[in-house]
Amino acid sequence: MKFDAMKKLVVLTGAGMSAESGLRTFRDMGGLWEEHDVYEVASPGGWHRDRALVLRFYNERRKQLLETTPNKGHFGLVELEREFEVSIVTQNVDDLHERAGSSCILHLHGELRKSRSTEDPELVYDIEGWKLEEGDLCEKGSQLRPHVVWFGEAVPAIEEAAKIVSAADIFVIIGTSMNVYPAAGLINYVPPTAPIYVIDPNEVAIAGHSRIRVIRKNAGEGVQLLMEEIRNE
Ligand code: APR
């Protein structure tokens, strides 16, 4: 009896994945970077200048996250695990893929519901509730910071992500403007034989890739359409 191994479906997600859960994206109209100066709230310099402001920004994000739930798109990716070996590489710091039930998730830009020691990056903790405040310390006595990757910082998970992407049979991009590197560069690791799908209601500028199949929809509806299309791959 021949055993057909499941195909590897690798999905790169961004803020648009969680938009239908009510979380704002960054660069759309009304996006977070319209209202907040990214270098003040999401960079090492900003942290140095005003820790309280940075903590407040992420506390607000965390509070909203606790009030929301995964959407149809997140659940659709879980359903795809019945037919594919699904790996999710997400730029999102929310935990909606986890809460939907996906089994293989790599967070490129960290996790909102975790904190990290400013002295020892190995010390990572779960945050109870939504508040991380000045004076919250790691076990070595140093201030805790949000466990997120800020602008100007390295992305430690990028090598593992590149490895996952280079094993893809099918690659899917959902809800990211592909503006931020090194995440956006992951597309260059997709094997030449793998089709690339893009689910986004707006045009995403991905230059030089002729294999792209665009599903110009929101994540929820787009993942449903994707399911129909890739069953025949
Ligand atoms: N469904 C799918 N896509 C959507 C939806 C939706 N309902 N609504 C908006 N989008 C799309 C937008 O058209 C856009 O292409 O989601 C994308 C969001 O892009 P960005 O706001 O740039 O978010 P993202 O690409 O995830 O940002 C990358 O930048 O500042 C950071 O660290 C942060 O991880 C983030 C990184």
Side-chain angles (χ1 to χ4, degrees):
M1 194 172 72
K2 185 171 168 281
F3 175 72
D4 276 331
M6 277 186 175
K7 282 192 175 169
K8 290 191 170 68
L9 182 73
V10 179
V11 190
L12 175 67
T13 65
M17 184 79 226
S18 301
E20 286 159 274
S21 294
L23 299 180
R24 285 157 76 186
T25 61
F26 297 97
R27 294 174 187 76
D28 288 306
M29 236 176 23
L32 284 167
W33 295 154
E34 231 173 52
E35 203 176 298
H36 302 271
D37 181 340
V38 45
Y39 292 103
E40 295 310 323
V41 298
S43 81
W47 176 251
H48 185 68
R49 280 186 291 278
D50 192 346
R51 289 201 305 214
L53 176 77
V54 174
L55 289 168
R56 220 169 31 243
F57 173 75
Y58 286 101
N59 284 348
E60 184 58 29
R61 309 274 75 73
R62 204 174 297 112
K63 185 163 185 269
Q64 285 172 11
L65 175 58
L66 294 181
E67 288 161 2
T68 189
T69 50
N71 64 58
K72 207 166 94 183
H74 296 104
F75 289 117
L77 294 181
V78 179
E79 218 177 304
L80 278 165
E81 292 189 12
R82 284 198 230 133
E83 290 162 75
F84 297 91
E85 195 182 313
V86 181
S87 299
I88 296 172
V89 175
T90 186
Q91 296 168 85
N92 297 344
V93 294
D94 67 51
D95 61 350
L96 296 179
H97 286 302
E98 281 88 348
R99 276 149 67 188
S102 282
S103 19
C104 183
I105 306 155
L106 181 71
H107 283 273
L108 274 181
H109 294 163
E111 292 173 73
L112 190 53
R113 293 183 68 182
K114 292 186 178 169
S115 66
R116 184 167 86 229
S117 164
T118 44
E119 180 186 337
D120 179 353
E122 297 296 311
L123 296 177
V124 174
Y125 305 90
D126 289 332
I127 297 174
E128 298 297 327
W130 57 273
K131 272 189 187 161
L132 182 65
E133 295 180 297
E134 282 192 280
D136 289 344
L137 308 177
C138 76
E139 66 214 52
K140 292 185 176 171
S142 294
Q143 175 66 40
L144 290 170
R145 57 165 278 180
H147 182 46
V148 297
V149 175
W150 287 329
F151 282 89
E153 293 189 314
V155 178
I158 196 70
E159 272 183 36
E160 194 183 342
K163 211 168 124 197
I164 294 169
V165 172
S166 42
D169 294 308
I170 303 171
F171 186 64
V172 185
I173 296 168
I174 307 177
T176 167
S177 61
M178 299 293 270
N179 266 307
V180 172
Y181 285 80
L186 286 171
I187 194 168
N188 299 318
Y189 290 86
V190 181
T193 49
I196 300 174
Y197 289 87
V198 175
I199 300 174
D200 201 296
N202 300 304
E203 199 174 330
V204 181
I206 306 173
H209 288 273
S210 51
R211 293 178 277 144
I212 290 177
R213 307 177 193 179
V214 179
I215 300 178
R216 210 158 168 164
K217 299 281 182 197
N218 286 340
E221 192 183 348
V223 171
Q224 297 302 315
L225 294 172
L226 174 79
M227 280 181 193
E228 287 161 29
E229 289 208 24
I230 59 177
R231 280 197 178 120
N232 310 316
E233 283 289 352

